[in-house]
């Protein structure tokens, strides 16, 4: 289970991306049915849709709230923060 050093909600992630990019980014929670319809509309394959929805189901069940020290155990270096990652890769988000 690989994580960064802090548990972040989708709202936290949107706030950090807003800070880093200078744009307003909001997280909007949508139902699984609405997400499925949107993915189908984008032409995503059924298996991809099922896997994404399974991942979001795990997140909604609180699995993202668990923080692990596995990165440090495996590499000997502390995991970097999402803020640092977003800052370092800012161009990918603008």
């Amino acid at each position: 289970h690989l994580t960064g050093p802090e548990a972040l909600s989708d709202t936290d992630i949107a706030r950090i991306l807003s800070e880093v990019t200078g744009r307003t980014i909001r997280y909007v929670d949508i139902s699984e049915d609405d997400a499925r319809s949107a993915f189908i509309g984008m032409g995503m394959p059924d298996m991809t849709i099922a896997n994404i929805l399974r991942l979001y189901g795990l997140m909604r069940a609180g699995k993202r709230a668990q923080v692990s020290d596995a990165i440090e155990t495996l590499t000997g270096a502390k995991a970097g923060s999402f803020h640092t990652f977003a800052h370092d890769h800012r161009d990918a988000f603008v």
Side-chain angles (χ1 to χ4, degrees):
H1 184 72
L2 303 177
T3 73
E6 58 196 344
L8 298 173
S9 68
D10 292 315
T11 302
D12 294 329
I13 292 167
R15 178 186 47 76
I16 291 167
L17 290 174
S18 293
E19 291 172 10
V20 168
T21 64
R23 298 172 35 215
T24 300
I25 299 171
R26 293 182 311 122
Y27 169 71
V28 178
D29 188 16
I30 63 172
S31 71
E32 186 174 309
D33 288 340
D34 287 343
R36 181 181 285 105
S37 293
F39 294 148
I40 290 169
M42 289 184 249
M44 283 187 178
D46 290 342
M47 184 177 287
T48 301
I49 294 170
N51 287 331
I52 291 171
L53 293 178
R54 190 174 303 114
L55 177 63
Y56 277 107
L58 291 171
M59 288 186 234
R60 284 189 170 125
K63 296 298 183 184
R64 192 173 36 186
Q66 300 169 355
V67 176
S68 159
D69 65 354
I71 297 286
E72 186 172 3
T73 299
L74 293 170
T75 68
K78 291 191 179 292
S81 71
F82 180 73
H83 189 280
T84 299
F85 170 81
H87 183 270
D88 290 350
H89 300 282
R90 179 185 176 279
D91 291 342
F93 300 107
V94 293

